Amino acid sequence: MAVTSLAFRTVRTIRRYPMLGYSQVSLCAVAVEKSIYSAEYQRLCAVLRELRREAGLTQVQVAAELDVPQSFVSKYESGERRLDVIELRHVAKALGVPVRVVLERLGE
């Protein structure tokens, strides 16, 4: 069973009625499902784990560089915790690679 969270984004729709001489703008919130167990996110976790191992680093060493507990590294590598973009940048730096390399590996 996948654990999911919902994010909301706003959709703006414009309906034009030129014959009647007006336009109508409507906004609605749409729920977007975000799974931490998606295939893409699991691939990112695997890439980060591979890069750490290639750098010859342990989870403890990466955690020390990030100034976080070792469990933080374990959780993002296992997919239990989702990284935001800023955290990904810090992790990449701790692994000694630019974010570009992480994204290139992800696309392979």
Side-chain angles (χ1 to χ4, degrees), residues 9-61:
R9 69 180 173 96
T10 304
V11 176
R12 181 176 179 208
T13 306
I14 301 174
R15 292 189 180 110
R16 301 191 193 292
Y17 302 97
M19 298 282 291
L20 300 174
Y22 72 93
S23 298
Q24 178 183 8
V25 177
S26 61
L27 299 174
C28 69
V30 178
V32 179
E33 187 176 353
K34 291 174 28 177
S35 172
I36 61 173
Y37 297 110
S38 71
E40 287 179 308
Y41 193 72
Q42 288 301 306
R43 177 68 185 133
L44 174 63
C45 296
V47 166
L48 293 174
R49 190 170 36 256
E50 290 166 10
L51 288 169
R52 175 180 58 78
R53 289 176 177 160
E54 288 171 13
L57 299 170
T58 65
Q59 288 183 350
V60 172
Q61 291 169 316

Side-chain angles (χ1 to χ4, degrees), residues 1-2 5 7 21-22 33 36 41 44 46 53 59 61 65 76 80-81 88 92-93 99 102 108:
M1 181 171 132
S5 63
Y22 72 93
E33 187 176 353
I36 61 173
Y41 193 72
L44 174 63
R53 289 176 177 160
Q59 288 183 350
Q61 291 169 316
E65 181 69 28
Y76 77 68
E80 188 178 333
R81 186 188 189 289
L88 179 61
K93 183 177 178 184
V99 174
V102 176
E108 292 176 355

